[in-house]
Amino acid sequence: MRHWEYKELIEAIQETYEELLEEDRGYRYALAKLADEFDNLGKIEDVIVDLVIGEIVMKQEKVFAGLVEGITKRLNMFNLKDAEGYLTIEEMDDLVKRVNRVIEGLGKVEVDYDSSVE
């Protein structure tokens, strides 16, 4: 990973989401802005971004279908071999567990087909 440590990136995404929520424009806006702010950081970084956004999404009442589909598709394409040399064994283990949990959890969220960000 170029500029981030594993836990550091996770914390930065979570903190940025909380800050965006404080703007009081709703969670959809915060998620859209978050995805934009952490876009194209690198192959492994992008998996981590999708992972954390997926974890946030799983806690919402309704989530835009396109967001659920996009995150699920990208996480399903993740290959653990891509993380070798970038993450420690413990970080890779954590990442795999969390990716599997998010994929399963996103399959259970209530989807919304209205793409507006409120």
Side-chain angles (χ1 to χ4, degrees):
M1 294 186 6
R2 292 183 209 139
H3 305 287
W4 297 93
E5 294 293 326
Y6 178 72
K7 289 183 180 182
E8 176 188 39
L9 179 56
I10 291 171
E11 290 171 5
I13 297 165
Q14 293 168 335
E15 288 173 13
T16 302
Y17 176 71
E18 293 299 325
E19 290 169 8
L20 290 166
L21 280 179
E22 290 175 7
E23 292 181 20
D24 204 26
R25 295 178 69 181
Y27 76 91
R28 287 183 174 200
Y29 167 82
L31 288 170
K33 185 79 172 157
L34 187 65
D36 185 55
E37 285 191 25
F38 288 92
D39 188 36
N40 291 320
L41 298 178
K43 193 170 193 173
I44 301 306
E45 291 91 337
D46 289 349
V47 170
I48 295 168
V49 171
D50 278 333
L51 167 74
V52 176
I53 292 175
E55 290 174 337
I56 294 167
V57 164
M58 291 183 342
K59 299 173 186 173
Q60 306 306 320
E61 284 184 37
K62 274 188 165 182
V63 184
F64 175 56
L67 181 61
V68 171
E69 291 166 8
I71 291 172
T72 302
K73 179 181 175 183
R74 289 187 299 275
L75 290 180
N76 274 316
M77 293 174 28
F78 169 63
N79 184 339
L80 185 57
K81 287 194 178 272
D82 294 336
E84 290 177 0
Y86 294 99
L87 300 176
T88 67
I89 293 171
E90 294 81 17
E91 291 169 340
M92 288 192 299
D93 184 51
D94 182 66
L95 181 62
V96 168
K97 288 177 185 174
R98 291 171 82 166
V99 164
N100 290 335
R101 191 175 16 217
V102 168
I103 291 170
E104 182 179 325
L106 290 179
K108 298 175 183 177
V109 299
E110 184 175 347
V111 294
D112 185 358
Y113 294 93
D114 178 9
S115 64
S116 69
V117 291
E118 296 170 47

